[in-house]
Amino acid sequence: MAAPVRGMAGSISIGNTTSFQKKTRSKLVSIPGTRPSVQNGQLLVSSGVSSLDYVIGGGLAVGTLLLVEEDRYDSYSRMLLKYFLAEGVVCGHELFLASARDHPDQIMQELPSPIVDDVAGMKISEGQSQPSDPENPDTMKIAWRYQNQPKVQIALASSVRFGHYYDVSKTMEPELRQAAKCHSFYQLQETPVTTGSSLIKVFVKTSLYFQVLASASKVRNVLRLGLHSLGSVLWGDDVCCKDNPAHCHALTTFLYILRGLLRTSLSVAMVTVPSHLIQNRAVMGRIIRLSDTAIALESFKGSEKETNPLYKDYHGLLHVRQLPRLNCLSCEVPDTKDLAFKLKRKQFTIERLHLPPDLSETVSRVSKTELAAGCGTTATGNKHLDF
Amino acid sequence: MLLYNVIESCVLQGAEAGGFILIQDTVKCTGRGLLKCFINAALKRGEDVHVLGFESPETEVCAGLDRSCVQKLHFHKGFPDPLGWTRRSSFTVERFASQHITQLFKDTQQAKASVLVVDSLSLVLRHHDPLVFCQTLQELRKGGVIKTIIGLLHSDLHQQGVVGIVCYLASTVISVAPANNECHSVAKTTRRTKSGKVMQEEEYFSVSEDATLSVQANPRQPGHAQKERDVSEADPTSNLTFNLRLSEEERKAKQKVALPFVFSQEKKSALLKPTPGSGRIVYKPDANDDFDEEDPDDDLDV
């Protein structure tokens, strides 16, 4: 059911912003915090970050699994998990959090606080309008109608507001947090077994309990699951330390069972995996195939890209590895694969990485000599063969 | 300055308890000097320090430490017999498990904070399963008895995956490497705070005889900074057979030309104001429109 992003050759979607909303005629019970997707009618929930919702096709479909490959020091993937859980608290969904390294209560205490201002007002104030002014060197004389447009459309946004904004510098009020029902699972308190058995047991208990409750009370709600650093050593898997791990089947079986359980209930799961530690690339490939939506975060901290002037405004790159095809033949592919993210205080923005055009004279010459050196002999060959 | 900060604030307040500082070294440059600085700083703060010495004798580790605080230091002899073959050691590698180590601390629990220093985690890793080892470390960190764990790891003795997972568990990783001049070494410190912020720094340091650290300024980044190639742009309007330049009068005349669609200031500003929301379609059905309220898809059995 899932398609890799690279395989889509003939997808159209250039401008994805549309203000049409699907008219639903009360066939679907409306659950707070969800909306039907414009493309295929699936019920979507917001992931907490509105630009991430845009990149993965409007939001997370209920019943699917989002896989996040962690960055090297687990700073931004942890932030995404916190946004996901905070969105659940604000929308009134139920939460389930499982982690091995840090206690779930500690993660819950670090949730960012929601900004309650009007989102539309914030958007207007961010795009500062410059009245045309002859003294201002930025104003254009002839094309003045375009002077408030950005030079390149880099911000990704849809015109329909869905999801909330959070302030990272403040943590969520304890009253707001305690109003949400949260189940947690901390690996240290259990006897050390491999991932599959212990987590499955707990999750099955929770989901069955939840479904029984829901069918009894006729109030349907969405359950959001957050699983932090699945596959790391503390979960009891040796996927990260060996080339031929003995426990890789436990991890993949768990993901398969988890996805099956998600499909039969109104749940959404976000799983973060430390993919930079996994030695065997085949295992990572299997994990990606077993999830629905897969993204990877690559932060610039500590790598040589930090000093690259191209990346100076951003904190890292976002790679979309896979998007799901749910009950339809094709999926919504974002029109560019070069995405970069930055974490500001009030927003986690994902933008198109915009390369300025290289106008120097030596550009085309350099590429031609490289090509000639590749297939000809380099010792005596004529490097200046220009066609 | 990061190295100083890490050593001085080795045991922070209760909120950051459970820190794990990892010193990574190789055969080219040893990290044992840095380990001694940590021990010295902890002793000066009056903390209980337990050292599991598997790779070096007590005399070597305690040489140069401050005489007055040595009674807070508890050395558990593992060298020269870490596996206990000749039964001369008080703590063997097999006993590296959370219940034994916690027992050690409970026997001598007096001071306000306890620090565990492991002289070499490499020896422990060679004789224990990495999974069990990481589980033990995690239990020790969260157990509440030990405030900080400081370990020395020889990164060239293990596979990359194993080194990776130990670094993943650590809150601070210090990698030492030899520098160009012999008396100094380079330390690359990566510190991860609880809030997710990551601080990184590379510094020259040297350790003196009495286990004090001296840190020099940051080393130059070799070969990373790409110098901007100054392409001197040639003036394109020179050396032409026709004239592309403007004289002063010609420039003034050009600016005086009235452009079409030149509006006054107020009209321009009014046109430039952003309108909220996107387009709306307002449709007024007239008499000819047959507006049926029923949804034609209603009879579909979907």
Side-chain angles (χ1 to χ4, degrees):
Chain A
M1 275 297 134
V5 179
R6 282 174 215 100
M8 299 304 297
S11 62
I12 317 159
S13 62
I14 293 176
N16 283 356
T17 57
T18 168
S19 55
F20 286 108
Q21 289 186 342
K22 194 175 170 87
K23 186 166 80 164
T24 52
R25 287 271 183 162
S26 72
K27 287 235 177 88
L28 274 163
V29 166
S30 65
I31 303 172
T34 65
R35 66 160 183 159
S37 155
V38 178
Q39 279 95 29
N40 49 13
Q42 293 284 333
L43 199 64
L44 297 179
V45 293
S46 168
S47 62
V49 179
S50 48
S51 33
L52 182 64
D53 286 340
Y54 180 82
V55 168
I56 57 181
L60 285 171
V62 172
T64 61
L65 178 70
L66 169 68
L67 182 85
V68 177
E69 292 183 35
E70 289 178 8
D71 49 313
R72 182 157 284 275
Y73 300 110
D74 190 28
S75 24
Y76 299 107
S77 44
R78 198 186 155 103
M79 202 65 232
L80 279 185
L81 191 67
K82 285 192 270 187
Y83 273 119
F84 180 71
L85 296 169
E87 183 70 29
V89 171
V90 172
C91 294
H93 298 156
E94 276 201 32
L95 302 177
F96 177 90
L97 178 59
S99 75
R101 189 170 63 180
D102 305 307
H103 201 276
D105 290 342
Q106 193 189 339
I107 299 181
M108 287 301 289
Q109 273 162 12
E110 291 172 11
L111 292 186
S113 84
I115 301 175
V116 289
D117 298 332
D118 190 22
V119 175
M122 201 170 87
K123 273 191 182 158
I124 286 180
S125 66
E126 270 184 357
Q128 293 290 340
S129 70
Q130 288 175 336
S132 69
D133 186 13
E135 288 88 35
N136 193 345
D138 283 339
T139 58
M140 297 189 239
K141 258 180 69 176
I142 300 174
W144 54 268
R145 280 180 219 265
Y146 294 100
Q147 77 188 20
N148 284 342
Q149 305 285 335
K151 281 211 184 86
V152 182
Q153 185 71 5
I154 50 172
L156 302 172
S158 66
S159 53
V160 179
R161 180 190 150 189
F162 179 53
H164 303 85
Y165 289 90
Y166 298 91
D167 189 352
V168 173
S169 56
K170 293 189 265 212
T171 53
M172 198 181 262
E173 309 284 312
E175 299 89 31
L176 191 60
R177 212 183 332 125
Q178 271 136 27
K181 281 193 280 241
C182 180
H183 315 272
S184 62
F185 175 86
Y186 187 38
Q187 173 69 352
L188 199 64
Q189 291 159 356
E190 314 289 316
T191 52
V193 285
T194 56
T195 313
S197 39
S198 58
L199 200 53
I200 278 289
K201 269 186 264 184
V202 176
F203 177 55
V204 167
K205 269 191 279 190
T206 318
S207 120
L208 284 178
Y209 155 75
F210 166 70
Q211 279 172 351
V212 161
L213 199 68
S215 55
S217 65
K218 293 215 171 47
V219 169
R220 304 173 79 183
N221 204 353
V222 170
L223 173 70
R224 287 185 184 231
L225 290 104
L227 304 176
H228 183 244
S229 277
L230 207 64
S232 74
V233 181
L234 298 169
W235 281 108
D237 285 323
D238 63 348
V239 180
C240 288
C241 42
K242 290 193 191 132
D243 272 335
N244 290 323
H247 296 148
C248 84
H249 289 295
L251 183 61
T252 45
T253 314
F254 169 74
L255 282 175
Y256 188 72
I257 298 175
L258 178 67
R259 207 168 65 149
L261 281 174
L262 289 175
R263 291 279 200 270
T264 57
S265 62
L266 286 175
S267 326
V268 187
M270 180 190 222
V271 175
T272 67
V273 169
S275 67
H276 55 97
L277 294 176
I278 292 182
Q279 301 295 308
N280 194 349
R281 301 315 302 167
V283 173
M284 203 57 227
R286 271 180 235 156
I287 294 174
I288 292 179
R289 286 286 176 277
L290 283 169
S291 49
D292 292 306
T293 318
I295 62 173
L297 294 173
E298 182 192 335
S299 90
F300 294 145
K301 191 97 198 176
S303 74
E304 64 273 3
K305 290 183 184 167
E306 202 172 359
T307 48
N308 195 335
L310 211 62
Y311 298 134
K312 67 173 158 47
D313 289 328
Y314 299 107
H315 291 138
L317 295 177
L318 183 100
H319 305 282
V320 180
R321 302 267 192 238
Q322 180 171 268
L323 288 175
R325 276 185 294 207
L326 300 164
N327 304 329
C328 56
L329 284 175
S330 69
C331 61
E332 273 301 313
V333 180
D335 47 354
T336 170
K337 308 231 179 79
D338 299 314
L339 299 166
F341 66 86
K342 60 182 167 203
L343 177 63
K344 295 190 288 207
R345 192 171 72 93
K346 289 209 172 153
Q347 223 183 358
F348 184 98
T349 35
I350 299 171
E351 289 174 0
R352 291 188 189 104
L353 192 60
H354 165 59
L355 296 177
D358 197 353
L359 294 172
S360 68
E361 284 175 358
T362 55
V363 166
S364 48
R365 298 275 173 82
V366 166
S367 58
K368 275 190 188 156
T369 50
E370 275 176 17
L371 274 172
C375 35
T377 58
T378 47
T380 55
N382 192 357
K383 279 188 222 159
H384 299 287
L385 274 175
D386 256 327
F387 292 96
Chain B
M1 290 321 291
L2 193 55
L3 202 53
Y4 264 138
N5 291 345
V6 172
I7 292 184
E8 291 310 316
S9 61
C10 165
V11 174
L12 299 168
Q13 296 82 17
E16 292 240 18
F20 173 31
I21 301 174
L22 183 74
I23 302 175
Q24 257 189 350
D25 65 352
T26 59
V27 71
K28 292 184 200 149
C29 178
T30 177
R32 201 161 273 126
L34 210 53
L35 199 67
K36 272 211 286 191
C37 293
F38 272 97
I39 299 175
N40 209 15
L43 286 175
K44 285 202 177 115
R45 276 195 299 266
E47 289 153 7
D48 232 2
V49 179
H50 288 252
V51 181
L52 299 179
F54 294 126
E55 274 185 10
S56 54
E58 184 169 359
T59 46
E60 194 181 311
V61 173
C62 300
L65 293 180
D66 204 356
R67 285 284 143 225
S68 55
C69 332
V70 165
Q71 61 266 35
K72 291 263 185 213
L73 176 75
H74 308 274
F75 192 91
H76 303 279
K77 210 167 72 125
F79 186 84
D81 185 29
L83 294 174
W85 288 337
T86 56
R87 288 166 229 265
R88 279 197 300 160
S89 52
S90 62
F91 196 86
T92 58
V93 165
E94 274 100 21
R95 292 185 65 207
F96 192 89
S98 52
Q99 63 267 27
H100 296 137
I101 295 183
T102 327
Q103 193 57 44
L104 278 182
F105 276 80
K106 288 217 169 80
D107 290 339
T108 54
Q109 179 82 25
Q110 289 141 24
K112 53 183 175 356
S114 319
V115 176
L116 172 71
V117 176
V118 185
D119 188 302
S120 172
L121 289 173
S122 291
L123 207 60
V124 181
L125 263 176
R126 297 305 285 177
H127 296 281
H128 283 267
D129 187 27
L131 281 181
V132 175
F133 173 76
C134 290
Q135 191 76 31
T136 310
L137 272 182
Q138 181 75 352
E139 281 168 12
L140 287 174
R141 282 175 77 183
K142 305 289 180 187
V145 176
I146 305 175
K147 280 283 162 57
T148 315
I149 304 175
I150 307 171
L152 182 67
L153 187 75
H154 306 301
S155 52
D156 41 4
L157 286 184
H158 306 280
Q159 285 176 344
Q160 205 187 357
V162 174
V163 175
I165 56 177
V166 183
C167 290
Y168 175 76
L169 287 180
S171 56
T172 311
V173 178
I174 307 171
S175 311
V176 293
N180 294 333
N181 40 354
E182 296 85 26
C183 51
H184 287 104
S185 315
V186 175
K188 188 167 163 196
T189 316
T190 308
R191 183 180 185 181
R192 196 162 41 89
T193 55
K194 282 279 162 69
S195 57
K197 215 165 75 109
V198 174
M199 292 180 273
Q200 271 190 337
E201 214 169 324
E202 210 171 299
E203 290 151 318
Y204 281 127
F205 76 99
S206 66
V207 179
S208 63
E209 281 302 321
D210 56 346
T212 47
L213 184 75
S214 61
V215 176
Q216 252 65 39
N218 305 348
R220 285 179 291 110
Q221 300 278 352
H224 277 282
Q226 299 210 354
K227 292 190 183 41
E228 298 275 337
R229 251 172 278 142
D230 290 315
V231 179
S232 58
E233 298 204 0
D235 188 13
T237 55
S238 58
N239 297 336
L240 291 170
T241 53
F242 42 90
N243 183 23
L244 275 182
R245 294 200 185 100
L246 288 176
S247 67
E248 243 344 281
E249 297 86 19
E250 284 167 351
R251 198 168 306 193
K252 280 187 199 148
K254 182 180 163 192
Q255 285 188 355
K256 280 209 193 96
V257 170
L259 296 168
F261 297 106
V262 167
F263 295 135
S264 64
Q265 261 319 101
E266 295 79 19
K267 191 164 177 191
K268 267 194 199 174
S269 314
L271 281 169
L272 280 176
K273 272 209 188 64
T275 52
S278 44
R280 278 182 314 148
I281 300 173
V282 179
Y283 179 67
K284 289 191 182 54
D286 60 354
N288 293 337
D289 275 327
D290 182 16
F291 196 57
D292 192 5
E293 280 292 338
E294 253 180 46
D295 186 9
D297 292 335
D298 261 343
D299 54 352
L300 285 178
D301 187 18
V302 174

